[in-house]
Amino acid sequence: MRKTGHRTPRPDGRRSAEVLALPPGRELPSGTGTWIVDGLVKTMPGLRMRELFALRRDMLAEAEYIVVGVDRERDRAVSLLTSRWAELPSGRRCLHVMVQFVGDAYRHGSVFGESWSAHFARLLADGRPFPEVIALKTYNPVVHCAMAAFSGHPDITLYPDLAGRPGSGAAPLAAEVAGALAPGAPFDPVRGVLRGIGRPVDLYRERPMSYAPEANAYFAANAAPGDRVLCLLHVPTRAGADSILSALGVPLPSGRV
């Protein structure tokens, strides 16, 4: 099994989580998938995690990149990041992030950033170019806040723009991405909402909240429990891509186009 990883220390200095890049879903042993789901069920009791993976087996089975955080003391998966490439009619390179979870007791540490670092390091090591579009569907405003943290470079566009500023030009791209990731689903390009695609509808036992009041208000006003907000980063330049890789501590590749 191909895997790379390093440990994430807790604030008290004890080593608590090791971030591993696993093989693609088609190569992942079924027992490993079961072990991952069992760990997430235990570390995120506020989500109906077992029901989610029963309905959405593709989030592991069809993933091209899988990164998991492991608590070695408990032999338990405590975080999961999976993604796959999506075909867009325009030919833009789009990475579809299918899962991004971090267990309750492991948040506000370095597991999240190290997971993304391992993810992009594996992607680049496989010879793939940095994606022009990074997209995901979520009910959680924390996810939008996390993406916003990587949108500071002037070449990067974040969608949706919660401030409602006109002129970003992202709505047509968002509609294209929505059609590729959720074919036939009702989509509101102004608000970025895909209606009624959430499975299970009651995945979250209560509405998730972020540290950003504007994000919480936006999701509460626009997304019902069965809806998902399409969030994306448009990264059309190498300078924008390099800014994300640098923020994650990923060595910049040479000769990349």
Side-chain angles (χ1 to χ4, degrees):
M1 177 183 292
R2 295 182 301 162
K3 61 182 181 180
T4 58
H6 50 278
R7 293 184 181 275
T8 300
R10 290 179 178 171
D12 61 7
R14 291 192 296 126
R15 296 180 182 273
S16 59
E18 184 177 2
V19 174
L20 303 174
L22 301 184
R26 64 181 181 276
E27 301 175 15
L28 200 67
S30 60
T32 301
T34 300
W35 173 81
I36 290 172
V37 173
D38 287 346
L40 297 179
V41 169
K42 292 174 182 176
T43 56
M44 283 177 278
L47 280 73
R48 301 187 187 280
M49 196 63 64
R50 200 171 300 283
E51 292 88 341
L52 172 65
F53 282 94
L55 293 168
R56 295 293 312 278
R57 298 179 185 275
D58 60 295
M59 294 193 300
L60 273 173
E62 297 181 13
E64 295 179 63
Y65 300 99
I66 300 175
V67 177
V68 62
V70 182
D71 184 327
R72 290 298 190 187
E73 295 179 5
R74 296 171 174 81
D75 187 28
R76 180 181 300 169
V78 299
S79 71
L80 180 65
L81 166 62
T82 75
S83 70
R84 62 176 299 196
W85 292 97
E87 298 279 345
L88 297 184
S90 64
R92 293 182 174 99
R93 297 185 294 265
C94 178
L95 187 75
H96 177 199
V97 180
M98 296 187 286
V99 171
Q100 171 64 89
F101 290 125
V102 177
D104 296 354
Y106 302 83
R107 294 172 188 164
H108 311 297
S110 57
V111 175
F112 176 86
E114 289 180 0
S115 295
W116 276 105
S117 178
H119 173 278
F120 280 120
R122 170 56 57 80
L123 182 152
L124 296 173
D126 285 348
R128 300 301 297 264
F130 192 92
E132 181 177 345
V133 180
I134 303 170
L136 53 81
K137 309 180 294 293
T138 186
Y139 181 67
N140 192 340
V142 173
V143 175
H144 187 278
C145 293
M147 295 185 78
F150 295 104
S151 65
H153 193 278
D155 292 350
I156 299 176
T157 299
L158 173 67
Y159 172 93
D161 180 352
L162 303 191
R165 292 184 293 263
S168 70
L173 173 59
E176 180 184 9
V177 173
L181 303 191
F187 178 62
D188 180 346
V190 175
R191 296 175 176 81
V193 178
L194 287 152
R195 300 293 180 192
I197 66 166
R199 299 171 61 200
V201 173
D202 59 348
L203 171 62
Y204 292 87
R205 299 178 192 274
E206 57 185 34
R207 182 175 287 276
M209 303 290 282
S210 75
Y211 63 84
E214 65 276 14
N216 296 334
Y218 189 91
F219 275 68
N222 293 292
D227 300 335
R228 295 293 182 264
V229 177
L230 176 67
C231 299
L232 64 84
L233 290 172
H234 184 210
V235 191
T237 68
R238 178 165 183 166
D242 286 353
S243 73
I244 293 176
L245 294 175
S246 295
L248 292 169
V250 179
L252 303 182
S254 59
R256 178 167 50 80
V257 295

